[in-house]
């Protein structure tokens, strides 16, 4: 290791390797300054230490943020995070927050009241920061020194080790693997096939005579009223579906929205229902088949619902990524777990309907003492619905990959009939006798009529997965957005930059949390 340091290897590409998507670095060996000095002089010493505790760090290049900590399996973890910057072989960082996990509970405390990016610090301030001075970096191993002069070695963490150590429950980063289908990671078990779920039947009042399936009782109760009460993705302001539209349903769950869109876009349209969680996708596929048979028996002309077993993200998330799966409330499963945020989104303070008698009790308590209700709800919600939690690795695609795979093209819009007749006259072409002069029958539109997004804090990833060449193929976007670090504003700016008009609303039932709806549509010409 000291020989590597003496060679002063060029650092080309090291920053990209350190922050490669899906890469977490496991600390395996340390030596303090005195041990390093003794080794340099070839003097006897006690040598270094093969690190006995699970310690791991990750770097997020997009946010210029690192997180580093120790992990005690599913019991607890202690991590620190903050901004970092790389110059040559030196990575300087600042610690701005401390994060503690104790079983299902998570806590975070700020260390600095006004943190700022390392790049924004004046040189004198940046010079005082801790740093790593790397001697060697490749895709599997990192060797470097800290500010104190001690030496450390990290290796690329494996999925099995992360599952045993409890790293996935905290970092939940992108995983670089090539599974043909999703599989579960359990402590000490690696990739383990899971038994088929026991699906729960429910009926939707809006679709009489149709029995549908969900994974859990809580999901079934929520889905039973989704069609009737919670359709928020089209027929809102300027957002409207047309016959023949192609719809990309990102975060389809068991297909509630897909079943609402299918009769509107009609048999000439298609709804691609994209869902990453295996158990949920089993229910989605069954529901799509049941709905098609139900519609056919009644002579209804509905779109084909095409389930897609994948999550939707940016280019860096492919081919697979880790999810946290909540079997008791599958709709909350996510790449970015945040128990407190999930609990806030399910408060009944401003929601008219209840999904259980327990929620009725919660409403009564909320009327008496809102603060006590919030506290009890947060604890009960995490304990009863977000536990147990499982770590899954799921296949990932981007919106642009879906567009390419399914042949979605930006077809030119047809000119009005009068214009078409005028063009024909200019060419000296007469209309055939008996030929209809009215508007032609609508053709299937091969643009994306609606990009619907409900992906539990991963909405920015979905939008980042749209290549510039594909934005003109998208006519409308309806996205449920968590306003984390100004994300609503950034999303609006992105969509306006792509030529959309944008509206932002917040449903009354979500006034107690950070959920907003963003509707983006192409302004009318002229």
């Amino acid at each position: 290791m000291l020989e590597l340091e003496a060679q002063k290897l060029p650092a080309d590409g090291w920053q990209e390797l350190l922050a490669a998507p899906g890469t977490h670095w496991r600390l395996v060996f340390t030596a303090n300054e005195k041990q390093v000095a003794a080794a340099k002089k070839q003097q006897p010493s006690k040598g270094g230490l093969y690190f006995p505790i699970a310690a791991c760090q990750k770097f997020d290049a997009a946010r210029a943020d690192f997180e580093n900590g120790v992990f005690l399996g599913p019991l607890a973890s202690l991590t620190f995070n903050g901004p970092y910057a790389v110059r040559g072989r030196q990575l300087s960082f600042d610690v701005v927050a401390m994060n503690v996990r104790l079983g299902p509970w998570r806590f975070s405390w700020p260390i600095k009241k006004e943190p700022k990016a390392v790049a924004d610090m004046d040189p004198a301030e940046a010079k005082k920061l801790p740093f790593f001075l790397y001697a060697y970096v490749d895709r599997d191993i990192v060797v470097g020194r800290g500010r104190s002069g001690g030496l450390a070695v990290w290796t690329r963490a494996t999925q099995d080790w992360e599952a045993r150590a409890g790293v996935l429950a905290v970092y939940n980063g992108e995983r670089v693997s090539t599974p043909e289908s999703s599989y579960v990671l359990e402590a000490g078990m690696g990739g383990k096939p899971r038994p088929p779920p026991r699906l729960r039947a429910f009926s939707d009042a809006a679709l009489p005579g149709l029995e549908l399936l969900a994974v859990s009782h809580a999901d079934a109760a929520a889905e039973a009223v989704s069609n009737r009460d919670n359709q928020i993705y089209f027929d809102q302001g300027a957002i409207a579906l047309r016959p023949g539209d192609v719809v990309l349903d990102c975060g389809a769950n068991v297909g509630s929205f897909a079943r609402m869109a299918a009769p509107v876009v009609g048999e000439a349209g298609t709804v691609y229902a994209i869902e990453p969680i295996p158990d949920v996708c089993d229910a989605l596929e069954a529901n799509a088949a049941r709905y098609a048979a139900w519609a056919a028996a009644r002579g209804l002309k509905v779109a084909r619902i095409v389930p897609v077993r994948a999550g939707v993200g940016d280019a860096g998330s492919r081919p697979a990524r880790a999810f946290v799966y909540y079997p008791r409330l599958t709709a909350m499963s996510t790449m970015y777990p945040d128990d407190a945020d999930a609990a806030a989104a399910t408060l009944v303070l401003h929601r008219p309907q209840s999904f259980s008698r327990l929620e009725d009790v919660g409403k009564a308590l909320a009327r008496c003492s809102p603060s006590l209700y919030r506290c009890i709800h947060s604890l009960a919600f995490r304990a009863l619905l977000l536990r147990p939690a499982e770590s899954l690795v799921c296949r990932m695609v981007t919106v642009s990959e879906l567009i390419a795979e399914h042949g979605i093209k930006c077809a030119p819009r047809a000119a009005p009939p009068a214009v078409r007749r005028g063009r024909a006259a200019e060419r000296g072409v007469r209309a055939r006798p008996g030929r209809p002069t009215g508007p032609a029958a609508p053709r299937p539109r091969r643009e994306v009529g609606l990009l619907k997004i409900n992906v539990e804090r991963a909405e920015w990833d979905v939008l980042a997965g749209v290549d510039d060449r594909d934005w003109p193929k998208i006519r409308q976007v309806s996205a449920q957005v968590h306003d984390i670090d100004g994300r609503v504003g950034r999303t609006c700016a992105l969509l306006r930059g792509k030529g959309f008009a944008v509206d932002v609303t917040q449903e009354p039932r979500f006034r107690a949390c950070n959920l907003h709806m963003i509707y983006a549509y192409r302004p009318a010409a002229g």
Side-chain angles (χ1 to χ4, degrees), residues 285-308:
E285 291 173 347
N287 288 342
R290 291 184 178 203
Y291 176 72
W294 177 87
R298 288 159 176 76
L300 302 176
K301 299 183 183 300
V302 301
R304 186 167 60 105
I305 297 174
V306 181
V308 179

Side-chain angles (χ1 to χ4, degrees), residues 289-347:
R290 291 184 178 203
Y291 176 72
W294 177 87
R298 288 159 176 76
L300 302 176
K301 299 183 183 300
V302 301
R304 186 167 60 105
I305 297 174
V306 181
V308 179
R309 284 182 176 258
V312 186
D314 56 19
S317 65
R318 299 170 300 166
R321 185 161 176 176
F323 281 72
V324 171
Y325 168 48
Y326 304 112
R328 292 181 179 174
L329 188 58
T330 64
M332 292 294 176
S333 302
T334 176
M335 293 187 287
Y336 298 107
D338 186 328
D339 291 359
D341 191 53
T346 55
L347 291 168

